[in-house]
Amino acid sequence: MARACYRTFTAAMLLRVGLVPLVLCATANQDCGSEVSLLQRRELPDSGSLSQDGNVTDPKEVWDSIWNRVRQESAACPPGTICGSSSHREHAPTFPAPSAIPAIDYADPRKTQAAWQAPMQKTYDPGIRSPALGWNSWNQFNLDVSEAKVLSVAQAMKSDGLLSSGFEYIVIDDGWAMKDRDAAGRMQADPIKFPQGIKWLADHLHDLGFKFGIYTSVGSVTCGGGQPGIMDHHQIDAETFAAWDVDYVKVDRCGWPTELSWAPGLDPDDLLELARITAGVDYPEDGKYPESFYKVSGRVAAYQNFSATLNHTGRTMYLEICDWGEDDTLEFAPEIANSFRMLWDNFPQWHRVQEIYEYFAQVPDIPASTTPGAYAFADMLEGGVDGHLYNVHFAPETNLTRREAATEHAMWSMWSSPLILGFDVSNPSKAWVTDLMRNPALLKINQDDLGIAARLAIRKQKNHCFYDTCYHTDVWVKPLAEGAVAVALVNMAGSYSQYNEKYQTESITVTWETLWLSPDTPVAVYSATEQKDLGIMNGPLSMDVEPHGVSVLVLTPQTTASGTEPPRNHTGA
C-alpha cells in the first residue's frame, strides 16, 4: 500500500520538482474562475515544472495562494453559519461501491474469523494480542520532544483517567537521540532534552504504571532528527532497547541508501505517489493503483532481521513497522510486527482523515491481513492536535473539530487500528479530547478479542452536485466476540468543512440482511457513541447523522443458530 512521513520534506521541494501543478480547474470545461484551489482535482503535468529552470523564488507566497481557499473552507464556523461562497463547487470524487461482506456466524466466532481473516503464521510473536493504546510525542511536539514534556503528558494521562482506560504506552518519537553513537556504538540520548537518560525515563514511567516506547528508523538515519538508525547495528540496538526496559519499538522507513537526498524516506519512484497525496487522491482510483504502488525494497529484509533480533533479546516489546504502506507492506509486515502503518502521515485536517478512511474502504486486503497480534495502523490520532496542513510548518494552522475527532476515533476503533494519541494531554483546553478517548464502549470495540477490522458494507453517494445537495454516507460492519456486531453509520459529507452547505444531516439505514441476520431476528441495540441502550429492535435500523459525524451501534441478536444460512438475496447492500 502507500503513503509517508513528510517531516523535513517541504512543500517547496514539491514545487521545485514540478509535482504540484497550479492549474485552475480539474477539466477544461469547468467554470471555476481564476482562483487556485485544492478543492478542485488536479492532474500531474506532462513534463516541466513551475518555471523553466524549476526554481521557485518564494514558495511561501505560492503556497499561501493555494491554501487561502482551504483556510476559508476549513474555518470552524459557529453552528448555523455557512462557510465558503454559495458558488463553491467541491467536485468530490465518486467512489466505487463496496462488495459484499464475508459471512458472520454469531454463534461460532471461529467461523467468522475464518471468513474475515487470512491465515497467518507470525515469526515475531511476543504474545501481545490487542492493538496498542497510548500516546506518541510526534504529532504535537515533533522534534521538540523532551523529558519534561513527556512526564507532563504522562502525569496528565494518569490523573485524567486515560491510563486506567487502557492507554498504557508512552512513546517518544524522532528527536530524542544524539546524532552520534557513543564509543561502544550505542545510541545515546540528547543530554539537554533527556538529562537523566532513557533508562531513568523508562523506569519512572513504569513506576507511574505506563509502558515505555522508543523510535528509530530502518536506515542509517531517522526521518526528521538525523539521529542514528538501526542499519548495521541491529544487535547492539536491540540489546540497548532491552537494557533500557523498552516496551514498544517504532521502526520508521528513512535513511535507506536508495532514498532521495532531499526527501527522507522517499525513493525516486515514490514521487508520483507523493504527488497523488498532495493532489488529494491518496486512495485507489477506479480500483487501480499506479504501477509503482507495489514494490519490495531491501528494507523488507532489514525489518525482518531486526524483528528477529528483538525476539532474541527475551524482552516483550511491541513492534510497530512504520513503512508507510510501501514495500508491499501487507505481504511481510503482519508476520513480523504487532502493527504496521498503511499510509503516509495523517495530519489534523478532515480531507486527510477522509483520504485514510477511503484507503481502508477500498483495500479489502487490509481487514484480511488484520488479526490478533497483527494490526493495520491508520497512523496516530489527530484529535486535539494543533498542527499545519500537510504537516508543513509554513502552511496554515489547522485542527479537527470535536465532531471530526470523534469520527476519527470511532473509525480507528472499528478498524482495530492502534489508538495512539497525539495531542498535548497536559493542556487543560484539550480536556474534551480526553473525554472522547475514554469512551469505554469504543475502546471495547477496538480491543475486541476477534481482532477483526471493519469492512465497508453499504455506500450511498452523490458527490457531483451543482444546484442541489450532495450526500456521501457509509455503513461499516465489524463482527465482535460474544455474538455481536458493531456497525458504524458515517456521514462523510464534504472533503473540507462540516459546514459545507451542499451536505446535510442524513438518515442512514442498515438492514438485517446486511448483517447476515434473518429479517425477523430481534436485536438488542446499544449506542457506543452515546453510551446508552436503545432497546430491542427488528430491522431495518436508521439513525440521523450530521456531516462528518458517525453513529456506532453494537447489535446483539437475541436468537441465532450456528450454521444458519444467510438470506439468499444477501448482497451487502
Side-chain angles (χ1 to χ4, degrees), residues 22-322:
L22 299 183
V23 300
L24 299 181
C25 299
T27 61
N29 62 354
Q30 287 180 8
D31 178 16
C32 51
S34 59
E35 185 175 18
V36 176
S37 172
L38 283 181
L39 302 179
Q40 291 136 7
R41 303 289 299 283
R42 298 197 299 277
E43 303 294 338
L44 296 180
D46 292 334
S47 61
S49 58
L50 291 178
S51 61
Q52 188 172 4
D53 59 4
N55 292 321
V56 177
T57 56
D58 189 352
K60 184 179 186 302
E61 181 178 327
V62 176
W63 277 76
D64 279 347
S65 70
I66 298 176
W67 301 127
N68 181 57
R69 180 70 172 274
V70 178
R71 183 190 293 110
Q72 295 174 11
E73 287 296 324
S74 61
C77 303
T81 302
I82 294 177
C83 291
S85 65
S86 60
S87 62
H88 164 53
R89 301 173 182 175
E90 182 161 302
H91 299 295
T94 297
F95 304 112
S99 56
I101 63 172
I104 302 174
D105 190 315
Y106 291 87
D108 190 343
R110 292 172 300 177
K111 291 182 178 179
T112 301
Q113 284 185 301
W116 283 66
Q117 298 171 335
M120 185 187 63
Q121 180 67 44
K122 289 191 71 67
T123 58
Y124 177 75
D125 191 1
I128 299 169
R129 288 292 175 265
S130 301
L133 303 177
W135 177 88
N136 180 290
S137 62
W138 179 259
N139 281 9
Q140 191 61 66
F141 298 124
N142 302 138
L143 296 174
D144 193 23
V145 61
S146 69
E147 177 183 291
K149 290 178 179 177
V150 171
L151 292 178
S152 178
V153 167
Q155 292 286 359
M157 290 179 68
K158 187 176 179 70
S159 62
D160 291 349
L162 283 169
L163 174 59
S164 59
S165 294
F167 289 88
E168 60 181 352
Y169 289 102
I170 299 285
V171 183
I172 56 173
D173 209 281
D174 204 353
W176 64 266
M178 297 287 287
K179 293 183 181 298
D180 298 316
R181 295 173 178 268
D182 67 14
R186 292 184 294 262
M187 294 183 186
Q188 50 188 343
D190 185 321
I192 297 177
K193 295 180 177 180
F194 296 90
Q196 301 182 83
I198 299 301
K199 180 63 166 65
W200 179 91
L201 177 62
D203 289 344
H204 193 71
L205 290 173
H206 289 154
D207 290 342
L208 291 173
F210 290 97
K211 294 179 180 178
F212 173 67
I214 204 163
Y215 167 96
T216 187
S217 192
V218 72
S220 59
V221 294
T222 58
C223 292
Q227 66 187 49
I230 62 174
M231 180 176 282
D232 300 324
H233 293 83
H234 287 191
Q235 187 67 41
I236 193 170
D237 289 346
E239 292 173 351
T240 298
F241 294 157
W244 286 345
D245 290 337
V246 169
D247 305 293
Y248 184 119
V249 180
K250 172 182 176 180
V251 183
D252 216 332
R253 188 174 190 263
C254 296
W256 204 250
T258 57
E259 78 182 28
L260 297 165
S261 60
W262 44 266
L266 296 181
D267 295 337
D269 55 358
D270 293 326
L271 293 180
L272 285 177
E273 294 181 42
L274 179 58
R276 287 165 54 80
I277 294 172
T278 310
V281 288
D282 185 18
Y283 41 76
E285 291 187 277
D286 299 324
K288 298 179 181 179
Y289 290 97
E291 290 183 2
S292 64
F293 193 83
Y294 295 104
K295 60 182 181 298
V296 177
S297 74
R299 292 180 178 90
V300 172
Y303 291 129
Q304 292 169 331
N305 182 69
F306 189 64
S307 172
T309 307
L310 285 178
N311 215 24
H312 291 152
T313 65
R315 180 168 180 80
T316 298
M317 288 184 267
Y318 186 107
L319 176 59
E320 174 197 337
I321 298 294
C322 185

Side-chain angles (χ1 to χ4, degrees), residues 346-360:
N346 194 10
F347 59 86
Q349 176 72 12
W350 179 254
H351 80 83
R352 180 56 184 161
V353 174
Q354 185 196 50
E355 289 171 5
I356 295 172
Y357 174 97
E358 197 57 38
Y359 189 91
F360 273 71

Side-chain angles (χ1 to χ4, degrees), residues 438-450:
R438 289 184 308 195
N439 181 322
L442 288 177
L443 289 173
K444 185 177 180 180
I445 290 171
N446 175 264
Q447 299 285 294
D448 186 77
D449 288 343
L450 296 185

